Amino acid sequence: MKSPLPVRNGVNATRLRLPQDGPWATAMEYVLERFGHVDSIGIMNRFERGEVRALSGTVVTPDTPLAEHTFIWYYREVPPEVRLPVELEVLHQDSDLVVVDKPHFLPTTPGGGYVAESALVRLRNLLDLPELVPIHRLDRMTAGVLLFAANPDTRGKYQQLFEKRTVRKRYEAVAAVRPELDLPRVVNSRMIKSRTYLLAQEVEGDANAQTHVELLQTSDDGGGTLGRYGLEPHTGKTHQLRVHMAALGLGILNDPFYPTLLPKAADDYAKPLQLLARSIAFTDPLSGRQVEYRSGRQLSAFPPA
């Protein structure tokens, strides 16, 4: 369902489904009852300025009856955001695909308190590509290679690569070393994550998450031995790498979630999560060529020799 309103300042219009009946005479009355506690004046102003649209592009006015439209679109009022002190780098750009090297702390898409300060909105504005969409996602705390589709006509071909698991993704992480642990190994487990619970969980049942784990290098930092690990997920469950490493007794350095959920605290830019999406490789569905995109970032707890 295509929005009748264009992307504005890198942000999509919000879609709202209206009930077909109820005690509200107009669409505006319903929206005010649902969201008026947030910004009643702003809501009325949007309707009065003609900024609320139906699917056909018809302006929804303050007097438009409730049942006249099923969906309406409008722009959210985006509060001012402090720019995060991190920068992303464009690794590749053509008319179909944009590949970036995402920094730690920058979310992939708008959410929570981050709207303008997301990789998607930054890139839409930087590259003047309002139709840009992410092909996959990285956690806000994870850095590395991230792909975006620039052409609506070809984005499905790239999305299918991930759906069919024909993309090879390699990550690096820093964690403690357990000499008794037999590596490399493949970790299999069943993982679940609900929308109402912050953490992913491993449960009994058939495995739906698989990660290959190997120890690439060790270093003695004076306080103990750290390892640089290579991780290759064969599935894409939320927080999969963090959960599997914690299950091995190798909690990723600076992880505030696993194995122990720490109290919420302000971001410490000197201590990013030591997890990096190092590379992505696949057969390009348009050219047929084998391609690989690599992050130029380094994990700060394990700098190169």
Side-chain angles (χ1 to χ4, degrees):
M1 194 180 300
K2 185 174 176 59
S3 171
L5 290 171
V7 172
R8 185 173 75 176
N9 297 326
V11 181
N12 294 85
T14 296
R15 185 183 72 182
L16 177 66
R17 186 185 184 104
L18 300 176
Q20 290 304 293
D21 53 50
W24 314 278
T26 67
M28 189 176 80
E29 285 183 15
Y30 170 74
V31 177
L32 281 170
E33 181 164 317
R34 184 167 176 185
F35 301 113
H37 64 286
V38 178
D39 182 18
S40 59
I41 299 299
I43 290 171
M44 289 187 287
N45 286 341
R46 289 188 194 93
F47 278 91
E48 290 169 357
R49 292 195 300 258
E51 294 180 354
V52 182
R53 302 294 178 93
L55 178 60
S56 63
T58 302
V59 174
V60 181
T61 72
D63 301 318
T64 299
L66 174 71
E68 188 165 316
H69 303 289
T70 302
F71 293 98
I72 59 174
W73 282 259
Y74 61 93
Y75 294 113
R76 287 183 295 166
E77 293 294 335
V78 179
E81 294 178 54
V82 176
R83 185 175 176 85
L84 298 176
V86 294
E87 300 297 333
L88 52 75
E89 178 185 353
V90 176
L91 300 175
H92 169 84
Q93 181 182 356
D94 60 36
S95 59
D96 299 289
L97 185 68
V98 175
V99 184
V100 301
D101 202 349
K102 187 186 84 67
H104 297 284
F105 302 105
L106 186 70
T108 298
T109 56
Y114 304 95
V115 178
E117 283 305 282
S118 63
L120 175 61
V121 175
R122 278 199 189 184
L123 284 169
R124 281 176 170 177
N125 292 326
L126 175 68
L127 305 177
D128 192 22
L129 292 173
E131 298 297 321
L132 197 71
V133 298
I135 299 172
H136 65 118
R137 285 169 172 76
L138 292 177
D139 291 343
R140 186 173 81 88
M141 305 307 291
T142 303
V145 180
L146 184 60
L147 275 59
F148 292 82
N151 184 348
D153 295 332
T154 59
R155 74 171 60 136
K157 295 183 182 296
Y158 289 99
Q159 290 169 333
Q160 286 179 9
L161 295 175
F162 288 84
E163 293 168 3
K164 295 179 179 179
R165 298 179 183 173
T166 57
V167 174
R168 187 172 189 181
K169 295 181 286 185
R170 296 177 186 242
Y171 289 73
E172 291 179 10
V174 176
V177 173
R178 293 181 56 200
E180 74 281 9
L181 194 63
D182 186 22
L183 293 176
R185 69 168 59 193
V186 175
V187 181
N188 290 286
S189 70
R190 183 165 191 82
M191 288 179 54
I192 61 171
K193 187 180 186 305
S194 73
R195 295 190 176 188
T196 58
Y197 187 61
L198 183 63
L199 303 182
Q201 298 172 287
E202 289 186 303
V203 297
E204 295 295 326
D206 294 338
N208 62 359
Q210 183 181 95
T211 306
H212 181 270
V213 181
E214 62 179 322
L215 179 60
L216 302 175
Q217 191 178 2
T218 61
S219 174
D220 190 338
D221 67 352
T225 303
L226 289 177
R228 182 169 65 89
Y229 293 85
L231 311 176
E232 190 168 333
H234 298 291
T235 51
K237 297 298 180 182
T238 300
H239 294 175
Q240 175 178 319
L241 302 181
R242 298 161 71 174
V243 170
H244 279 173
M245 287 291 282
L248 292 174
L250 302 173
I252 297 174
L253 201 64
N254 302 333
D255 190 340
F257 287 4
Y258 308 98
T260 303
L261 178 61
L262 302 179
K264 184 175 176 58
D267 290 337
D268 185 345
Y269 296 103
K271 294 182 177 180
L273 175 70
Q274 295 297 284
L275 180 60
L276 174 69
R278 171 60 72 194
S279 67
I280 289 182
F282 55 89
T283 300
D284 189 284
L286 303 183
S287 69
R289 294 185 299 107
Q290 285 291 125
V291 296
E292 181 179 27
Y293 300 104
R294 293 183 59 83
S295 170
R297 300 180 187 275
Q298 301 295 332
L299 292 171
S300 57
F302 206 108

